[in-house]
Amino acid sequence: MPLYYRPSNVVDAEETLEDAALFNALHAEFGKGLTVLGRDEGIPEDGQFIGRTRQVEYPSNLFLKGKTDYWTDPAFLKHVGREFSFCDLGEAERAVEDLHARGKTAVVKSSRDKHFIETIKPGTTLTRALGNMVFSFCDAGKCLMVQEHVPMRFEHRFLVIGRKVATHSPNAYSLTPMSPVYGGFTGKITDNHFETPKSTKPIHNPELTKAMLHMAESIAKEAIEPNLCIDLALTDTGVVCVEFNPMHVGMVGLFACNPKDLVSAIADTMEPELLAEVREQQHAPEEDPYAMMYDDFDEEDFDEGDFEGGIICE
């Protein structure tokens, strides 16, 4: 059973760097045991796949990915830290009205990935917020999360493999796996926090990290799924769980997570049959392990005059 990896074809700079760092860690751990696909290749079905899928791809062989219905997971509900309910359309309408009657703003989110999320303030209704999308929920049963709107700060991501936190990072769009090396942070990067994902000024707070790590480890032990991407945040009442995401390696944002620690955890929890096959091929001869990472490179576009000693010159 091969272990496949396909480089991402995204153009976002941070995501491209994350993808390259992940590949580097995977190759360092598995060598030739990792079968690298071309960017435009389809996903074979005879092994496990690591990497980013495309909109029209629904492979059944994603490595580690389970069904993460966090909205019904007792571990999430225990640490949600705000009013929260999972409803059908009628129940959701009443839950929003109840929050509004008490002067609270509601946040309504679909249980379908990237389908619908809206902040609904007092003075309007869920039906008005849904618009024509209301028909998507009429006969869908329980499919809407209704929660009290609570300001959240200092989001932090924890990647859990085999019920253990493998690596973690503050959530900030400016962070990549290279940030711990070049970011100039005070102490460990995990002890630095950003008020919002768009913030660029870190706040050093090891005690907040300690509290968040404690909650993440508790969730990891109690959650239904053993592999998770957990997002936590700080509110006025303390640390809360924002949501879970499926642990699809190559799809979840790494921010400043350590790819080496992530891949080491993957190897530790890999099914024996797959690990044995990967290790058997690990040290086989290979011409260029990085060939697929630059398979779109056109030598005709390369001008040696653009470089001096490896430095790009204007």
Side-chain angles (χ1 to χ4, degrees):
M1 180 187 297
L3 178 64
Y4 293 107
Y5 168 80
R6 183 178 64 193
S8 172
N9 61 355
V10 298
V11 295
D12 178 84
E14 283 78 15
E15 290 185 12
T16 300
L17 199 155
E18 286 186 6
D19 194 57
L22 176 61
F23 170 74
N24 186 283
L26 286 166
H27 182 264
E29 178 69 36
F30 300 124
K32 194 63 175 178
L34 181 72
T35 301
V36 184
L37 304 171
R39 283 186 174 88
D40 298 323
E41 283 191 65
I43 301 173
E45 298 181 356
D46 62 337
Q48 295 287 299
F49 173 74
I50 292 177
R52 183 178 293 275
T53 58
R54 299 178 184 132
Q55 286 186 334
V56 295
E57 288 181 321
Y58 303 97
S60 59
N61 58 338
L62 298 178
F63 184 74
L64 290 183
K65 185 180 179 181
K67 189 176 182 180
T68 313
D69 295 344
Y70 68 87
W71 45 89
T72 59
D73 193 315
F76 169 75
L77 298 174
K78 178 179 177 180
H79 298 285
V80 68
R82 58 198 181 275
E83 292 188 51
F84 182 95
S85 56
F86 186 51
C87 312
D88 61 28
L89 180 59
E91 292 168 339
E93 289 173 337
R94 291 189 290 275
V96 170
E97 290 172 359
D98 178 63
L99 286 168
H100 286 177
R102 290 180 283 129
K104 297 184 177 183
T105 295
V107 177
V108 180
K109 182 179 180 180
S110 170
S111 57
R112 287 173 55 185
D113 189 37
K114 303 186 185 305
H115 184 220
F116 175 84
I117 183 169
E118 189 72 30
T119 300
I120 306 173
K121 297 180 179 180
T124 187
T125 65
L126 173 58
T127 302
R128 184 179 299 173
L130 287 171
N132 291 333
M133 287 190 71
V134 69
F135 300 107
S136 301
F137 304 102
C138 285
D139 301 312
K142 291 184 180 295
C143 58
L144 290 167
M145 291 170 258
V146 179
Q147 51 196 306
E148 170 193 7
H149 177 265
V150 175
M152 296 183 183
R153 312 181 304 281
F154 306 118
E155 285 193 42
H156 204 98
R157 174 157 293 180
F158 295 83
L159 304 186
V160 173
I161 305 290
R163 300 199 177 281
K164 295 181 180 179
V165 174
T167 179
H168 59 102
S169 166
N171 286 15
Y173 299 143
S174 60
L175 297 180
T176 74
M178 298 300 291
S179 296
V181 180
Y182 298 109
F185 296 95
T186 301
K188 296 186 296 184
I189 194 168
T190 50
D191 287 337
N192 289 270
H193 301 267
F194 295 79
E195 189 162 4
T196 74
K198 293 182 179 180
S199 300
T200 57
K201 183 179 179 180
I203 297 174
H204 188 247
N205 190 339
E207 289 303 313
L208 178 57
T209 304
K210 184 178 179 181
M212 287 183 161
L213 181 58
H214 178 74
M215 180 178 287
E217 289 174 339
S218 296
I219 292 172
K221 292 176 182 177
E222 300 166 2
I224 294 172
E225 285 291 327
N227 309 301
L228 292 169
C229 171
I230 301 171
D231 287 335
L232 304 182
L234 182 67
T235 69
D236 290 341
T237 59
V239 177
V240 303
C241 185
V242 180
E243 63 178 358
F244 299 167
N245 285 296
M247 190 57 242
H248 178 181
V249 182
M251 283 283 283
V252 298
L254 297 179
F255 299 113
C257 286
N258 187 322
K260 183 178 179 181
D261 290 344
L262 176 62
V263 172
S264 179
I266 287 172
D268 289 343
T269 58
M270 192 174 285
E271 295 179 4
E273 181 182 353
L274 176 59
L275 182 61
E277 184 166 340
V278 168
R279 293 301 189 205
E280 183 179 355
Q281 298 295 323
Q282 182 173 0
H283 301 295
E286 56 184 345
E287 293 182 1
D288 184 354
Y290 294 90
M292 293 300 181
M293 294 299 291
Y294 46 74
D295 57 3
D296 296 329
F297 180 76
D298 190 346
E299 290 188 8
E300 294 181 359
D301 295 334
F302 178 72
D303 182 357
E304 290 186 1
D306 291 340
F307 292 83
E308 271 187 17
I311 306 297
I312 299 179
C313 300
E314 296 293 341

